[in-house]
Amino acid sequence: MSGKTLYDKLFDAHVVRTEDDGTALLYIDRHLVHEVTSPQAFEGLRLANRQPWRADAALAVPDHNVPTDVAERAKGITDPVAKKQVEALDNNAREFGITEFDMNDIRQGIVHVIGPEQGATLPGMTLVCGDSHTATHGAFGAMAFGIGTSEVEHVLATQCLIQKKMKNMRINVEGTLGTGVTAKDIVLAIIGEIGTAGGTGYAIEFAGSAIRGLSMDGRMTICNMAIEAGARVGLVAVDQTTIDYVKGRPYAPKAELWERAVAAWSALVSDDDAKFDSEIMLDAASIKPQVTWGTSPEMVVAIDDTVPDPAQESDEVKSSGMEKALDYMGLKAGTPMNEISIDKVFIGSCTNSRLEDLQEAAKVINGRKLAENVKLALVVPGSGLIKQQAEQQGLDKIFSDAGFEWREPGCSMCLAMNADRLEAGERCASTSNRNFEGRQGQGSRTHLVSPAMAAAAAIAGHFVDVRNF
Amino acid sequence: MEKFTTVTGIVAPLDRPNVDTDAIIPKQYLKSIKRSGFGPNAFDDWRYLDPGEPDMDNRSRRVNKDFVLNQQPYEQAVILLARENFGCGSSREHAVWALEDFGFRAVIAPSFADIFFNNSFKNGMLPIALDANVVEDLFNKVNGKKGYQLTIDLASQKIITEEGDEIEFDVDEFRKYCLLNGLDDIGLTLNHADDIRAYEEQRKQSAPWLF
């Protein structure tokens, strides 16, 4: 019998019972809750007169709707509909005995940033959240995936989910990354390679020397966008980098329990003889800084490339999709990517709002100012604590001096549920994860890039190769 | 949850790959704390030419007449026909609620994103994945005759065309059982409460830091 993959080990360790058709009842160790996908679930509990099975396994935080403007944060949410939703989370957390970091708590932030930051995300866990970017937490060797609201209610009521095992895919990124090339470029290159449905039905393990060489911040960026490759689950095996990150965090085990936990976590790797249903190799040295050009994350090219031509695509459905995307984006085939000018810049989101992301962006600025055609450039830290650390390092000053706005933590312009958004036709260099039509506001045009590439574009006023900037 | 046994009705052709959940229900409508009322704003950016906000009267907005769901008879459609990777993107179950509230009971496409697929079954909505060439044939039929209807029989796992042809489809046994009977998952799971407690006792021994 061949060995087990990391995903198989995590799945098997959480099976409560299995039905004849292979459907398993899976135990969930950690449940992260935010304001947008939970109100109907709590309402469901109330209607059925049910209590949470284990309130201590849940952790709640508002992030999607919260204002990032410093003044608005201080005086409360102006949008009455958003305010009601955030208050509903506060009330539900109180009523059902769930710990919440409310809007004015220094620990508040994007749900996928605060889980790891607090040590609430631990290796070996099953972790869910009503949010597709829950894959982020897989960077810790945890089985983490996004769920819908019915499943949020299911986990609250039973601490379990009904699941079937996914298939296993391993993506090996070997070698050394070039200067100026980051985790974001790796994951965009992967999505460009396998497509946005390439990982559908799979749990993807990211492996290889280039992945092992990444910090936890970088690994989280990679796993975060597993969903943009179609996979609900992204994983990185546990190693010393993982253990060092978790140690000493508020929710991490202490003393004797820490020793036991570390011993158990060392087994959270795929066995040497484990079999994967699909395996993909990528050469790290060949990856260049990436920029998306269309309305799907798979519509991506290297910065030194040009906007692709739909006429060159033989698949009719794809070709017509490309034409629609170019039309929406207001781009012409053949335009060099570094000639595309931008209106706004967004540095933030659960993909790229961690300290390392902010450091990489700040480094690029190097005393320069925003280009004149850039109307607005936002820097939105992933959490209150990251904001504080960045300020201690003087990053806020670097950004403000250059003309960026330094904001309060939240999801912000990644999905534009709050006031941070693009106007119709505006073009944005964004470190977020989705370039869908209307994602950053109706008629918005999003180009996904790394924090370093976004900072460079902000200074240049157009996309530019950060390697020679 | 509403039972799904047999559904017959008009098929609306949405000829695009990668229809994402942001397109199905834009973010501004996610601020609702209710589960219903999303239908009028399903595909909002495509249905209307001007921007929409929650609680706006849609009758005052400019309608995009080119969009398929604004054309007769598709306002009465109950089956949505689409291309590959339908429902990709965010986990928002609001996407399923919006389709359901519009009147859809089933979506047929060559492939679906996992979370959308899963969310559908929790709401009495049947997602059916068929080979791309079978979907292509259905597009030809539907585009060839406005108001073309299909019948979906879940018990026998068959789609019946107007011509009387039968197309078989796959569905998970457990999900089929829940849909046919309109069963609430949570109730089913709580029947196994003893198993859950036994698992917790064993985990408290082997991994006490998780409790």
Side-chain angles (χ1 to χ4, degrees):
Chain A
M1 211 178 104
S2 62
K4 280 182 169 187
T5 64
L6 170 56
Y7 171 73
D8 289 340
K9 289 182 186 181
L10 292 167
F11 191 98
D12 294 349
H14 289 87
V15 173
V16 171
R17 54 174 283 129
T18 314
E19 302 296 333
D20 292 341
D21 72 344
T23 307
L25 191 62
L26 210 64
Y27 191 80
I28 303 302
D29 297 313
R30 176 70 70 203
H31 186 189
L32 301 175
V33 178
H34 68 78
E35 79 276 24
V36 179
T37 55
S38 68
Q40 297 87 349
F42 285 112
E43 186 60 16
L45 288 187
R46 266 191 292 269
L47 289 172
N49 205 12
R50 288 175 175 138
Q51 284 296 314
W53 183 277
R54 243 187 89 192
D56 68 316
L59 180 61
V61 69
D63 57 2
H64 285 60
N65 268 307
V66 298
T68 63
D69 181 78
V70 178
E72 190 182 350
R73 179 70 71 102
K75 71 175 194 294
I77 305 175
T78 337
D79 174 354
V81 194
K83 185 168 194 251
K84 200 169 157 195
Q85 196 170 50
V86 170
E87 284 172 356
L89 183 69
D90 297 343
N91 294 336
N92 285 327
R94 204 173 308 121
E95 178 181 341
F96 291 104
I98 290 167
T99 302
E100 185 202 11
F101 300 157
D102 69 27
M103 195 172 80
N104 294 311
D105 191 312
I106 183 82
R107 298 168 298 178
Q108 181 270 342
I110 304 172
V111 65
H112 306 308
V113 173
I114 64 132
E117 185 173 71
Q118 292 295 320
T121 302
L122 294 175
M125 273 184 164
T126 42
L127 181 153
V128 297
C129 174
D131 192 285
S132 59
H133 289 108
T134 308
T136 312
H137 308 263
F140 290 81
M143 181 178 153
F145 52 95
I147 56 179
T149 300
S150 294
E151 289 187 319
V152 170
E153 185 181 341
H154 197 281
V155 175
L156 284 169
T158 71
Q159 211 52 46
C160 291
L161 276 178
I162 299 164
Q163 291 287 305
K164 263 198 166 172
K165 216 180 225 183
M166 294 178 236
K167 288 183 286 182
N168 282 286
M169 179 186 287
R170 181 160 61 186
I171 299 181
N172 301 287
V173 190
E174 296 288 355
T176 311
L177 284 177
T179 314
V181 182
T182 65
K184 182 66 165 285
D185 302 301
I186 298 180
V187 73
L188 284 172
I190 289 171
I191 295 162
E193 180 86 17
I194 70 172
T196 49
T200 304
Y202 288 95
I204 300 181
E205 181 175 340
F206 298 98
S209 57
I211 303 292
R212 284 196 300 277
L214 293 173
S215 67
M216 289 313 295
D217 283 5
R219 293 177 189 186
M220 283 189 261
T221 299
I222 303 255
C223 289
N224 173 273
M225 289 190 72
I227 188 69
E228 273 67 49
R232 285 177 90 174
V233 169
L235 287 167
V236 176
V238 172
D239 63 8
Q240 197 57 42
T241 305
T242 327
I243 308 282
D244 291 344
Y245 179 100
V246 174
K247 192 169 188 185
R249 299 206 174 247
Y251 282 69
K254 306 277 178 321
E256 185 258 345
L257 272 187
W258 170 256
E259 301 302 328
R260 273 183 75 184
V262 170
W265 294 341
S266 65
L268 296 175
V269 296
S270 289
D271 293 333
D272 291 339
D273 56 346
K275 279 195 63 155
F276 286 83
D277 302 289
S278 168
E279 197 138 15
I280 289 162
M281 304 291 287
L282 235 76
D283 171 22
S286 70
I287 300 174
K288 298 173 182 174
Q290 306 281 305
V291 186
T292 64
W293 55 267
T295 53
S296 164
E298 70 188 16
M299 295 173 166
V300 63
V301 291
I303 178 64
D304 56 5
D305 213 333
T306 56
V307 175
D309 185 357
Q312 305 290 315
E313 173 60 58
S314 54
D315 181 322
E316 242 178 76
V317 176
K318 266 199 182 144
S319 172
S320 104
M322 288 170 73
E323 269 172 32
K324 281 196 178 94
L326 288 184
D327 183 47
Y328 180 86
M329 293 296 289
L331 291 174
K332 285 205 171 59
T335 308
M337 292 308 291
N338 58 20
E339 285 178 13
I340 300 172
S341 64
I342 55 165
D343 305 301
K344 287 184 178 169
V345 177
F346 172 59
I347 297 176
S349 87
C350 58
T351 312
N352 283 130
S353 63
R354 298 178 184 83
L355 192 59
E356 184 178 287
D357 301 316
L358 305 184
Q359 288 166 335
E360 280 170 4
K363 207 158 57 186
V364 170
I365 293 172
N366 197 18
R368 290 175 282 188
K369 304 268 185 223
L370 286 188
E372 277 193 11
N373 58 305
V374 175
K375 292 180 236 172
L376 178 71
L378 294 185
V379 187
V380 185
S383 73
L385 290 168
I386 289 174
K387 181 170 184 252
Q388 193 178 51
Q389 289 159 32
E391 286 169 356
Q392 282 159 2
Q393 296 180 10
L395 302 185
D396 57 325
K397 188 145 186 350
I398 296 177
F399 286 116
S400 314
D401 287 350
F404 286 80
E405 290 189 20
W406 180 248
R407 295 292 189 95
E408 296 290 329
C411 299
S412 181
M413 207 196 275
C414 171
L415 85 167
M417 269 190 85
N418 67 357
D420 310 338
R421 63 184 69 176
L422 302 180
E423 301 302 324
E426 282 184 338
R427 193 178 295 287
C428 183
S430 180
T431 66
S432 53
N433 40 56
R434 289 188 176 134
N435 50 351
F436 297 155
E437 282 187 24
R439 173 79 177 179
Q440 295 189 294
Q442 200 184 36
S444 60
R445 293 166 171 166
T446 305
H447 295 265
L448 304 176
V449 287
S450 72
M453 283 287 286
I459 305 297
H462 55 85
F463 292 107
V464 60
D465 193 336
V466 71
R467 293 173 300 177
N468 339 306
F469 190 68
Chain B
M1 184 173 87
E2 193 178 349
K3 285 184 190 180
F4 191 114
T5 49
T6 303
V7 163
T8 299
I10 294 171
V11 184
L14 184 61
D15 197 353
R16 280 176 177 250
N18 300 316
V19 172
D20 59 74
T21 53
D22 276 86
I24 299 172
I25 184 79
K27 83 279 293 179
Q28 63 270 37
Y29 303 107
L30 308 187
K31 292 174 193 169
S32 166
I33 56 172
K34 293 187 296 191
R35 220 180 168 115
S36 56
F38 296 99
N41 299 105
F43 300 106
D44 200 76
D45 283 2
W46 294 343
R47 269 164 85 190
Y48 300 98
L49 295 167
D50 42 15
E53 287 299 327
D55 300 328
M56 197 180 237
D57 183 357
N58 286 335
R59 285 171 301 187
S60 66
R61 298 172 65 193
R62 286 185 300 137
V63 169
N64 175 11
K65 296 205 173 75
D66 294 336
F67 184 58
V68 62
L69 297 183
N70 286 333
Q71 296 161 3
Q72 283 298 348
Y74 299 122
E75 286 169 9
Q76 283 85 49
V78 293
I79 298 166
L80 187 64
L81 182 64
R83 298 289 184 178
E84 67 195 23
N85 201 26
F86 186 86
C88 61
S90 130
S91 68
R92 60 187 72 163
E93 198 160 314
H94 313 65
V96 179
W97 299 337
L99 293 176
E100 191 191 27
D101 203 46
F102 184 92
F104 290 113
R105 295 297 316 278
V107 185
I108 300 173
S111 59
F112 293 87
D114 287 337
I115 305 180
F116 175 87
F117 190 76
N118 202 37
N119 285 344
S120 298
F121 286 98
K122 312 286 181 192
N123 293 281
M125 168 93 63
L126 179 61
I128 300 177
L130 297 175
D131 278 350
N133 46 14
V134 179
V135 171
E136 180 64 30
D137 280 349
L138 288 175
F139 265 103
N140 290 334
K141 287 185 201 299
V142 171
N143 288 330
K145 183 192 166 194
K146 278 211 164 179
Y148 189 90
Q149 299 204 4
L150 289 173
T151 294
I152 299 169
D153 180 14
L154 178 57
S156 68
Q157 296 180 214
K158 279 176 186 157
I159 299 170
I160 302 124
T161 67
E162 281 192 3
E163 296 78 13
D165 297 330
E166 293 184 347
I167 303 165
E168 290 186 11
F169 63 87
D170 285 332
V171 60
D172 239 32
E173 270 309 306
F174 179 72
R175 285 168 160 159
K176 176 178 169 180
Y177 170 75
C178 290
L179 269 188
L180 283 171
N181 298 290
L183 291 177
D184 160 20
D185 274 1
I186 295 177
L188 290 175
T189 297
L190 287 174
N191 288 339
H192 304 301
D194 288 346
D195 291 336
I196 303 173
R197 279 188 209 105
Y199 174 87
E200 284 181 326
E201 285 314 309
Q202 166 247 312
R203 277 297 265 185
K204 279 178 190 166
Q205 302 302 314
S206 63
W209 57 87
L210 293 173
F211 291 86

